[in-house]
Amino acid sequence: MVEPRLATVLNVNDDDANRYLVNRILALAGYNVLEAATGMGALLMAQQHHPDVVILDVKLPDISGYEVCERLRADPNTASMAVLHTSATFVTSDKKVRGLEGGADAYLTQPFEGAELVATVKSLLRLRHAEQVARHRANELAEMDRRKDEFLAMLGHELRNPLAAIMTAIGILERRPASDDKEARMRGIIQRQTNHLARLVDDLLDVSRITRDRVELRPGRVDLIPVLRQVLQVLQPMADARGLGLEVTLPPGPLWLHADATRLEQVFTNLLDNAIKYTDAGGVRLDVAQEGVDGSARAVVRVKDTGIGIPLGVLPRIFELFAQADTSLERTRGGLGIGLTLVRKLVQLHGGEVLAHSDGPGTGSEFVVKLPLDHAVGAPAPARQVADLRRGRRVLLVEDNADARQAMRDLLELWGHQVAVAPDGLQGVALAVSQPPELALVDIGLPGLDGYRVAEALRARVGNGIRLVAMTGYGGPEGRDQALRSGFDRHLVKPVKPDELDRILSEL
């Protein structure tokens, strides 16, 4: 059995008799004792031997004990040492205050009893031990948090790759008529559940960024109405599958916001998805209006359902992380308890607010989002119309996931493109050099040569005429920035919807 290490105490005093007496008291109490007679000597001993406690007389022949303490605290190598000031002459309260504010942990006035000195040293050692435990735990938590973020990023990548293959395969099937109603229903189920899984992955990764305040917006001038229509288009089949009515009231004109359209879509997808999920009968209403004028004008979006409602005890914390309206053991509604936390944070980042209301279980719920309108004069210029570019283009697909590669190849060939494929970065670069494509779709997480280095190599060896699109399971903003710096024209997060990919190809 390993014996516990004896605590070491550095005794600093220029009076030889006093120093000897304190040394004897500490040695008899079982401590290892070091000594110094000057302030500079104390600093040198502290650096060399790292004592647990420094008993530091205030009056020293070279520099004062106050300055010694301040220097100990300023040095990271000695900052954690416990310091006990002692004094026989500077005993006024203002001197004690100066010592304690300068970094000392305790202050004893001489003469003091040996038992008082030992008890004070023991107290400081307990405090030091507690601080060390807390510091060690904080370091462990920081390391665990770092590993958790790495795990979530890898988890997102590993989940998005199979989701990408499924979504691309469904995109191919949708372009052919179903043989019967049953097949059409099965396709719808796969499509809805794939979209649901993709949203869960996005939420899971976003909540990690939110807890560290690392969510970034990419705002622009956005009309809220098309954003909501896009959300409704995705969620309408889910409402139909549950036999729910989905009533929508939209204003006749646009509602311009300075906002991130993707994040707004995430907000309202979460709210409408929850409303549908927690409603067994009746329906869901989406009402959109404008309130206020000029500088105070806001877009107001209300999502109201006839569902299970929210218990009054849960309502005040419904936006907290992992809060759940359905707390029963069955947990039939699913969900991670993070969607509403994301909603609140994203709305706040847009300068808005979100409110929740319910009269209790069985009474339904209402969520109200208020977002400030953009007061810039006039609408933005219309987007440049892109010609139909469905002629066969030479496309290079670099993807290491075999199913995703095959599904994407089939989809691109269905659209009439000539497709060359490579399972890793080195083969992708070699193919591009020997047969230069017009456009390359490149996965980032490739074996051998990652997608960033592939882009750099293609820019250097093929030139700027080729269009490069990154497709990745890593969805962080830092990945997008690195992709653009590496030479990519666009950055897409898997799973990429076929319609979105078709639009990107046409624009490029």
Side-chain angles (χ1 to χ4, degrees), residues 256-274:
W256 294 106
L257 310 173
H258 183 67
D260 184 327
T262 300
R263 293 301 190 179
L264 287 184
E265 186 173 325
Q266 191 175 2
V267 166
F268 295 111
T269 296
N270 262 303
L271 291 178
L272 281 165
D273 180 63
N274 277 352

Side-chain angles (χ1 to χ4, degrees), residues 405-427:
R405 184 170 66 245
Q406 185 61 57
M408 183 62 69
R409 178 176 189 168
D410 290 344
L411 180 63
L412 292 169
E413 289 179 344
L414 184 63
W415 289 342
H417 300 299
Q418 304 171 37
V419 184
V421 297
D424 58 56
L426 290 173
Q427 293 186 51

Side-chain angles (χ1 to χ4, degrees), residues 208-227:
S208 176
R209 300 186 190 106
I210 279 180
T211 55
R212 292 175 292 133
D213 288 325
R214 292 184 61 182
V215 174
E216 294 184 8
L217 298 183
R218 301 187 182 277
R221 197 143 191 256
V222 176
D223 181 5
L224 178 60
I225 305 305
V227 173

Side-chain angles (χ1 to χ4, degrees), residues 162-218:
L163 284 173
I166 295 170
M167 189 167 286
T168 304
I170 287 297
I172 295 173
L173 292 177
E174 285 183 338
R175 280 157 175 78
R176 300 174 181 174
S179 59
D180 53 34
D181 291 343
K182 184 176 182 180
E183 181 181 336
R185 287 196 303 272
M186 295 303 104
R187 290 184 184 181
I189 290 172
I190 297 173
Q191 181 71 60
R192 288 193 300 274
Q193 296 305 317
T194 303
N195 287 330
H196 182 60
L197 283 173
R199 289 198 300 272
L200 286 178
V201 172
D202 288 338
D203 286 354
L204 185 64
L205 298 180
D206 273 339
V207 77
S208 176
R209 300 186 190 106
I210 279 180
T211 55
R212 292 175 292 133
D213 288 325
R214 292 184 61 182
V215 174
E216 294 184 8
L217 298 183
R218 301 187 182 277

Side-chain angles (χ1 to χ4, degrees), residues 79 438 498:
E438 297 173 75

